[in-house]
Amino acid sequence: MDIKRIGIITSGGDCGGLNAVIKGIARKAYALGIETVVVPNGYAGLYNLIDLDTVVVLNAERVSKIEASLAGSEAGHSRVKISKIDDPDKYERIKKGLKKFNIDGLIISGGDDTGSVVVDLTSQGIPCVHVPKTMDLDLQPYSVGGDSAINRISVFARDLKTTGLSHNRILVIEVFGRYVGHTAFRGGVGAEADAILIPEVPVDFDILYEHMKTTYFARIERSDVRAGTYIIVVAEGLKTSSGEMLYDESAGVDAFGHKKLAGAGKYIRQQLEKRLKTDPDVQAFMKRTGMYVPGIYVIPEVREVTPGHLVRSGQSSAYDVNFGYKAGAGAVVLLRDGRTGNTVTGVEGQKILYMPTTEAIKRREVDIEELALFESLGTCFGRKPVEFKPELCEEHRTERSM
Ligand code: F6P
């Protein structure tokens, strides 16, 4: 395949490391004598490319203006599924747009929905290579943005301890992650959260309450200034014990057709408050610790905090900048060599690793076997702890994705 010009698309939710992907693509392509251009604002921009007068060429000067360590994407985003566009000539329109700007192939960075469009466009004869991106980390390979989100979640949750300790608050921090709990889990561990609730484990609120009560009471009673907090990190896709997920029915669906998730933090607060109000030990504890004020302060405060888009904004982690550069550069080589319909999964030494995009976008959940280890160290996952029975295995291999 003779690739002289590559179009770069970033799609789905923005996150850390994307600008490094863009720079990795542009610089590797430049080194190979290939030009790169931005297709702006994700698949919306691809559909409307034909109507543009110009596209931005990522020459050396323009690329140097992009800051790799800043999250978000210089190329812009949208959540648009091409197959759902109400236009029978959409693929022809896209092909005409690509022809207009002499774009021979696309490198598209995004998550599972974006990847499904990569598969779709490839089947329509448009050469595409996929770079895995999603803070949710629910693809088979590592995806750029995950590490940045984990770091930010852990910093936010850790920082909230100062207000928690000042007011003896029980804090529930609800974080993005859609249907999986990778970032809540790793970010929660990073912040030394007391409880981490993820969609892979339906929550038993009596177990969570008992863990909270024991930990929180002991902390305050041990403290010479009677200060203590209890930190819960919860993934937005939380499942109640009946296996139900909490949707924000009033928020409708996003452009990819997913129902919007919301309310996990609030639901947990309500569950804990309900138990605090009816538990006779609570009033005794409040009196013992000098917190009790009749009619005003009779149970500890439970508050939910939702950092929302902050977890995917701001700075990218150094890991994501590294991965982004490598994956972006690797994608150029794949596209040049005609390996379309594939996802670059990493670069090890001189090897560019890849797999079919159809495989890469299959959902990966948290391996709940590992939770037992953290349960043995004291973390609550809203279930009866499972005994950690380690097996020793001598193995020489590189680290897999998080
Ligand atoms: O898929 C990434 C993600 O951050 C999810 O974790 C979250 O549910 C969703 O995007 C939020 O989407 P939006 O930015 O469109 O509100």
Side-chain angles (χ1 to χ4, degrees), residues 18-95:
L18 277 166
N19 284 323
V21 171
I22 294 171
K23 289 183 93 164
I25 297 170
R27 291 201 162 136
K28 185 70 211 161
Y30 181 78
L32 295 173
I34 301 169
E35 200 169 55
T36 49
V37 297
V38 169
V39 177
N41 302 322
Y43 291 132
L46 180 65
Y47 179 69
N48 290 314
L49 194 59
I50 187 80
D51 296 331
L52 292 186
D53 294 329
T54 53
V55 285
V56 172
V57 177
L58 291 176
N59 56 27
E61 196 196 338
R62 184 63 185 84
V63 170
S64 67
K65 288 187 182 147
I66 303 173
E67 181 55 68
S69 66
L70 273 188
S73 164
E74 189 81 356
H77 279 250
S78 58
R79 287 192 192 273
V80 170
K81 199 155 191 159
I82 300 288
S83 61
K84 287 196 174 166
I85 301 175
D86 189 10
D87 170 1
D89 299 324
K90 50 192 173 273
Y91 296 105
E92 276 320 300
R93 179 175 159 89
I94 288 171
K95 285 178 190 169

Side-chain angles (χ1 to χ4, degrees), residues 79 134-136 176-178 236 309 312:
R79 287 192 192 273
T134 170
M135 62 146 284
D136 300 343
F176 278 165
R178 194 82 77 182
E236 60 177 349
H309 294 85
R312 31 177 251 225

Side-chain angles (χ1 to χ4, degrees), residues 209 269-279 299:
Y209 180 73
R269 172 173 59 73
Q270 289 166 340
Q271 292 295 319
L272 294 179
E273 279 176 347
K274 194 167 81 182
R275 286 164 178 78
L276 284 165
K277 281 180 189 155
T278 51
D279 182 347
I299 60 163

